[in-house]
Amino acid sequence: MGPQVVSGNPAGKIGLADAPAVELALSRSKLYLLLSWGFLFPEDDEFYNYLQDGEFVEDGLAAVETLEKSLDATKAAPNVRGLVAHIRKFLEQIGEWEEEHFKTWEFSDLQDEHRRVFSNVISLDAPPYETLFGNEHVFQQSHTMGDIAGYYKAFGLELAEVVHERLDHLSVEFEFLHFLAYKESYALCHDGEEKLQIVLTAEKKFVRDHVGRWAPLFADMCSKKAHRGFYMLLCELCKAYLKFEFAYLNVTPQPYKETDYKPATFSPPEGAVFECGAQDLGNELSVLLDEVGGRSQMESENKEGADEGQGPVGHS
């Protein structure tokens, strides 16, 4: 199901010494993608079938095996290599859970389990949205949302119409990192050092300044809320993988603590009068993107890029 590196390299053919680095980037890309799929609400039975057939765990363990070999070949630090065992452990536990539950589970059971943990509305005890962490006011949220939109826009990405989620949903942010890690593998084969460094810098900054700040706290809160089952194990897998990424990328995020989590409030400036229920929309994507002009940027910039032949527009 994962992407493959295209052969050939305008900057020079990839050498055998570089092959482990390419495999490493592809393995990381796959693990980000699995996490992205896992946290999305299962709208249809595609992901359910993927779990039921055991492919989720098989693909994850295959990525881990390649990850281990690539880390050995690239002589990664022992502390980085040691963290991979925790990723493997939780994938194996998900496999054990599948064997036990998919004898009786149906697609609707997976949807019900997602609703139990995440609910149909923004859950205040485990919200999968970055801007609900460390942003007590809606205008702080808009700044964070604008920064996220800027990353996506810089790489020509926009939300696909079939994705009914905000830009700051954990699944969307993980898919962006999946895209960056895959782009890293492509840059190693095709683009040369300059473009490779651009991608690596984006990976490090997005993990350090965004995912790494809030996702560990969210996963911990969500794991406690779930208490059992697939989504509890998925959260533990998420925490284990992020610990690996922090070490591998050599970044030290300043993570939010549970005391930092406070749902944002919308307080209009003194003297301002709002109509049409704006005060009730403090957490809505439309308010946040309108505040920073994010929607117009995401729509117009990608159209211009496609019209000018700057390459295909991606979808996160």
Side-chain angles (χ1 to χ4, degrees):
M1 293 181 69
Q4 299 295 318
V5 174
V6 180
S7 60
N9 183 1
K13 290 185 178 180
I14 183 170
L16 292 177
D18 298 319
V22 175
E23 293 294 328
L24 183 53
L26 286 173
S27 299
R28 293 173 49 242
S29 177
K30 170 58 76 174
L31 289 167
Y32 271 128
L33 186 59
L34 292 179
L35 288 170
S36 174
W37 286 341
F39 282 111
L40 268 183
F41 178 76
E43 297 277 0
D44 53 46
D45 61 2
E46 182 179 5
F47 183 69
Y48 168 79
N49 293 333
Y50 187 58
L51 281 176
Q52 185 183 45
D53 294 342
E55 294 182 31
F56 180 93
V57 172
E58 288 177 9
D59 286 350
L61 290 176
V64 166
E65 183 176 352
T66 304
L67 197 65
E68 290 175 325
K69 292 179 180 178
S70 302
L71 289 170
D72 289 340
T74 56
K75 298 180 180 179
N79 67 306
V80 176
R81 283 180 279 179
L83 291 169
V84 180
H86 297 284
I87 303 172
R88 179 188 294 276
K89 179 181 75 172
F90 290 113
L91 281 166
E92 290 174 344
Q93 288 183 7
I94 290 174
E96 294 170 1
W97 176 86
E98 288 175 347
E99 289 181 6
E100 179 181 353
H101 288 82
F102 277 113
K103 296 175 183 177
T104 58
W105 266 43
E106 297 179 355
F107 170 53
S108 60
D109 294 311
L110 183 64
Q111 289 184 313
D112 291 342
E113 183 69 359
H114 193 284
R115 293 188 186 100
R116 179 182 74 83
V117 177
F118 299 102
S119 76
N120 287 330
V121 296
I122 294 178
S123 172
L124 296 183
D125 49 0
Y129 301 99
E130 178 180 350
T131 53
L132 296 188
F133 290 82
N135 298 282
E136 295 186 42
H137 195 280
V138 69
F139 295 114
Q140 291 173 299
Q141 288 190 351
S142 69
H143 174 78
T144 301
M145 188 69 83
D147 195 48
I148 296 169
Y151 274 96
Y152 299 167
K153 181 170 68 73
F155 286 91
L157 298 174
E158 61 183 5
L159 280 178
E161 292 182 1
V162 296
V163 178
H164 307 297
E165 278 301 347
R166 294 168 22 165
L167 301 180
D168 63 330
H169 190 280
L170 183 59
S171 177
V172 179
E173 293 193 4
F174 274 158
E175 186 164 1
F176 176 59
L177 287 166
H178 146 71
F179 168 82
L180 288 182
Y182 175 63
K183 195 168 182 67
E184 177 188 337
S185 73
Y186 187 90
L188 282 162
C189 295
H190 298 271
D191 293 336
E193 185 65 23
E194 184 177 352
K195 290 187 177 180
L196 174 63
Q197 288 305 316
I198 292 174
V199 176
L200 290 174
T201 298
E203 285 183 54
K204 291 182 178 182
K205 287 185 175 181
F206 196 79
V207 169
R208 183 194 66 196
D209 299 337
H210 289 283
V211 165
R213 296 206 68 192
W214 75 280
L217 173 58
F218 157 76
D220 193 49
M221 294 167 65
C222 186
S223 179
K224 292 176 183 177
K225 180 183 179 183
H227 187 63
R228 66 182 186 278
F230 172 72
Y231 290 107
M232 185 273 285
L233 293 172
L234 184 70
C235 288
E236 295 302 315
L237 174 64
C238 174
K239 290 191 289 184
Y241 184 63
L242 286 176
K243 286 182 181 178
F244 165 80
E245 280 289 279
F246 298 162
Y248 174 74
L249 294 174
N250 193 26
V251 295
T252 307
Q254 298 299 314
Y256 294 125
K257 300 177 182 178
E258 200 156 350
T259 53
D260 296 325
Y261 168 63
K262 298 177 182 178
T265 58
F266 187 94
S267 300
E270 185 176 355
V273 177
F274 289 94
E275 298 180 354
C276 302
Q279 287 172 292
D280 297 328
L281 296 175
N283 289 330
E284 292 298 323
L285 176 60
S286 58
V287 172
L288 300 178
L289 286 183
D290 286 343
E291 176 67 22
V292 297
R295 180 184 291 109
S296 60
Q297 290 177 349
M298 295 288 282
E299 291 175 351
S300 63
E301 289 290 334
N302 283 291
K303 184 178 186 301
E304 290 174 5
D307 292 343
E308 294 174 8
Q310 295 176 357
V313 175
H315 290 81
S316 181

